[in-house]
Amino acid sequence: MGIYTIVEMAKLHGLEPYKYMKYILELRPTCQFSDEELEKLAPWSDSVQEICR
């Protein structure tokens, strides 16, 4: 269910799902990430928009 949600959120924000999944998996967020760091991985983040379109 979680992967499906990530893919659909990527599509909703105009991203290529494969690029987005690859991007977030390469960074491998952990439970020690701060909220600000996690926000940078969100599909609506400007940096993610540039990288994953």
Side-chain angles (χ1 to χ4, degrees), residues 10 13-15 42-53:
H13 292 280
L15 305 177
W44 52 84
S45 165
D46 291 335
S47 60
V48 171
Q49 289 285 320
E50 290 178 26
I51 294 168
C52 300
R53 282 203 172 232

Side-chain angles (χ1 to χ4, degrees), residues 12-28:
L12 179 68
H13 292 280
L15 305 177
E16 286 201 31
Y18 176 79
K19 283 184 180 179
Y20 183 57
M21 291 291 292
K22 183 178 178 203
Y23 178 72
I24 61 174
L25 289 173
E26 285 175 348
L27 294 177
R28 295 188 186 128

